[in-house]
Amino acid sequence: MKLFIDSGNIKDFESLVPLGIIDGATTNPSLLAKEGGDPRDIVKKICGLVQGPVSAEVVATDAAGMIAEGRSLATIDDHVVVKVPFTRDGMKALKVLSGEGLRVNVTLIFSPTQALFAAKVGAAYVSPFVGRLDDIASDGMRLVQEIATIFKHYAFPTEILVASVRSPMHIVEAALMGADVCTCPATVLDACFKHPLTDIGLEKFLKDWEKVQGAKV
Ligand code: E4P
């Protein structure tokens, strides 16, 4: 399963990309607005750091606006994937942009029918938002399972990009379900590096080693 960083913060990329586990990135208007500065510059920098797919979202809400914005976002870097929301206009934009050969990530997916429609029209990725469903006492990961089953039946090439991830267990469940991508905030990825038994084990190894070294002197 590919791991993307869900962030607009360059420091997150500088800290996680050297670990070798990162395959791409997702951004959204909220994440980029938080950083300040020119969002296009940030997206360009992220592309340079991850050297993989980087989703950049349109903010227009009409199809013509989304298409123009999508084309423009795609000129930032070859790694840019245009992100459009699942709306009627978003679907029209998806049809045109994917027809032009651009990769499109259809975002704000909360139902299997939305994912099915986006796949039919040529989305490169669909982004089910698992955390936001969990937040309203719905089962976010069940949605991922349903989309995975549907895509398998029809051999859609569209990748399932699990989004709105809140904890390492979302990563585990996404991998168990065979999701193609899981996009995670840096805090969630950082949490996966913490295990008390690893820390205790390492401390003991080093102490035992020191004892022997001390005895030799
Ligand atoms: C995905 O592409 C979105 O940027 C993101 O996962 C949304 O997550 P949130 O629900 O934590 O805002």
Side-chain angles (χ1 to χ4, degrees):
M1 183 174 72
K2 284 168 266 188
L3 286 173
F4 289 4
I5 308 179
D6 192 29
S7 174
N9 187 308
I10 297 300
K11 286 200 180 106
D12 290 342
F13 293 91
E14 289 171 343
S15 118
L16 288 162
V17 170
L19 305 179
I21 55 168
I22 302 304
D23 303 288
T26 49
T27 66
N28 65 39
S30 308
L31 290 171
L32 290 173
K34 232 176 27 186
E35 299 307 317
D38 183 347
R40 293 177 71 96
D41 287 347
I42 299 174
V43 169
K44 182 75 188 169
K45 271 189 201 141
I46 295 173
C47 289
L49 288 166
V50 303
Q51 294 294 312
V54 175
S55 290
E57 190 164 341
V58 301
V59 288
T61 53
D62 63 302
M66 287 186 200
I67 293 163
E69 216 183 314
R71 286 177 184 147
S72 165
L73 287 170
T75 65
I76 296 176
D77 192 283
D78 285 347
H79 291 298
V80 167
V81 173
V82 178
K83 211 184 196 190
V84 303
F86 182 88
T87 57
R88 284 171 179 264
D89 281 82
M91 291 294 286
K92 288 181 198 165
L94 164 63
K95 190 168 162 42
V96 173
L97 294 171
S98 62
E100 290 174 3
L102 297 180
R103 288 175 299 166
V104 179
N105 173 0
V106 178
T107 190
L108 292 169
I109 294 285
F110 292 98
S111 77
T113 48
Q114 292 176 327
L116 173 64
F117 292 0
K120 280 177 71 82
V121 182
Y125 303 93
V126 288
S127 293
F129 274 39
V130 297
R132 293 193 195 183
L133 280 170
D134 290 354
D135 290 346
I136 57 158
S138 267
D139 188 346
M141 292 313 302
R142 189 190 153 103
L143 171 63
V144 174
Q145 186 72 76
E146 288 173 345
I147 296 172
T149 303
I150 291 168
F151 283 12
K152 209 173 279 170
H153 285 326
Y154 303 104
F156 285 124
T158 305
E159 295 193 32
I160 302 174
L161 190 163
V162 177
S164 186
V165 162
R166 302 269 195 265
S167 78
M169 274 318 288
H170 277 148
I171 303 179
V172 175
E173 289 174 72
L176 286 171
M177 286 175 188
D180 301 286
V181 189
C182 191
T183 189
C184 313
T187 47
V188 173
L189 292 167
D190 287 337
C192 299
F193 281 91
K194 288 176 199 142
H195 201 296
L197 290 179
T198 303
D199 297 342
I200 292 165
L202 179 59
E203 204 185 318
K204 185 170 177 345
F205 284 156
L206 296 179
K207 268 199 186 131
D208 291 346
W209 185 255
E210 267 169 34
K211 271 185 232 158
V212 175
Q213 297 306 308
K216 276 187 194 164
V217 180

